[in-house]
Amino acid sequence: MKQLLLTTLMGVFSLTTLAQQKTNLAKLQFDELAAKVLQGITGVRQGKLYDLPNMLSYGIDNKGVLLFDRYAPPHVELLAYNEKVAGFGFRIMSYAFQQEIKDYLEDHYALKLADSSRWGKQYTYADSQVTINFQAVPETDFKQGRSGYLDIKTSTLTKAIAVQEEKYKKVHR
């Protein structure tokens, strides 16, 4: 009886561990199927970008399953293009984590200051593979409820979005 109980508890522990495997967005491969990345994550809300069936956004109320380096954003928008992960975005809720994310990005990418004002700083990076937009706000603004933001997309998705925005502008002029 003891052995059966121990075996059952180990099985439940293993299932719980498998169901809660963490995905580090900082190391995410953009050629992975979105369904694979989303597997085991509950409460995912799906929406279309520009009403296109091949450009999808998955809203995830994160419970620590998705990380960016060491930061677990409370909500993540995972983007898919032609069924593959093509980007993500999330708010950064503390100044300390904003600084850690900035340090990580500066260590791995040649971020450039694109804009600076009293409201914060906008950093960008782009190459043939990826586009990064990082919005950093002053420490005092976090106390007033503002947050930083990180948005990383494949260059392919960035170009597809630009095409859709141009079409939208032409229609709504």
Side-chain angles (χ1 to χ4, degrees), residues 23 25 41-42 59-68 71-76:
T23 298
L25 297 170
I41 299 175
T42 59
I60 303 161
D61 289 332
N62 191 19
K63 296 173 179 77
V65 176
L66 299 174
L67 303 172
F68 185 87
Y71 178 60
H75 182 84
V76 175

Side-chain angles (χ1 to χ4, degrees), residues 79-99:
L79 305 174
Y81 185 55
N82 295 328
E83 298 182 5
K84 294 186 179 178
V85 174
F88 57 85
F90 57 82
R91 291 181 0 182
I92 304 164
M93 305 306 289
S94 79
Y95 183 75
F97 277 122
Q98 176 181 273
Q99 294 310 106

Side-chain angles (χ1 to χ4, degrees), residues 2 12 17 19-20 25-26 32 36 45 47 53 57 65-66 97 104 121 130 137 142 144 149 158 171-172:
K2 258 184 171 178
V12 168
T17 302
Q20 295 181 352
L25 297 170
E32 290 185 62
K36 181 181 176 192
R45 290 177 308 282
S57 174
V65 176
L66 299 174
F97 277 122
Y104 178 91
K121 295 181 179 181
V130 70
V137 297
F142 279 96
Q144 298 170 359
Y149 197 81
T158 301
V171 169
H172 293 92

